[in-house]
Amino acid sequence: MESTVWPVYSPFAKMHFGKGLEAGRAQGEARAVLTILEARGIPISDSDRAFIRACTDLGLLDGWVRRAATATSAADLFAEE
């Protein structure tokens, strides 16, 4: 059986390999934040929605997912701990 793993040898490949995966993960985390807020009936402004979707910081997005589970408003999502 042939391997389906693409070898990353060139400097270009090493620099860019995996960046698409990170971007996809960030999009998924942002979607999770918005889905949780929607499911809980918490309104979110268009500007906050755009801000969440534009975020690429996986650590920050992970924190927002956790906060979305207990937030009572969109402001709670962005509040400093």
Side-chain angles (χ1 to χ4, degrees):
M1 176 176 246
E2 287 186 40
S3 172
T4 58
V5 177
W6 180 64
V8 182
Y9 296 121
S10 75
F12 177 84
K14 287 179 182 178
M15 184 185 326
H16 296 285
F17 184 76
K19 287 195 178 186
L21 297 175
E22 281 186 27
R25 185 165 170 224
Q27 288 173 352
E29 292 281 320
R31 183 171 179 231
V33 170
L34 296 171
T35 299
I36 293 167
L37 292 174
E38 180 183 319
R40 297 190 62 235
I42 297 172
I44 186 156
S45 69
D46 289 341
S47 61
D48 284 346
R49 185 179 305 277
F51 181 69
I52 292 166
R53 285 186 175 147
C55 183
T56 59
D57 182 329
L58 293 173
L60 184 58
L61 286 161
D62 183 58
W64 289 348
V65 167
R66 294 172 191 277
R67 288 184 188 172
T70 59
T72 58
S73 70
D76 291 345
L77 193 69
F78 306 116
E80 294 289 324
E81 289 186 289

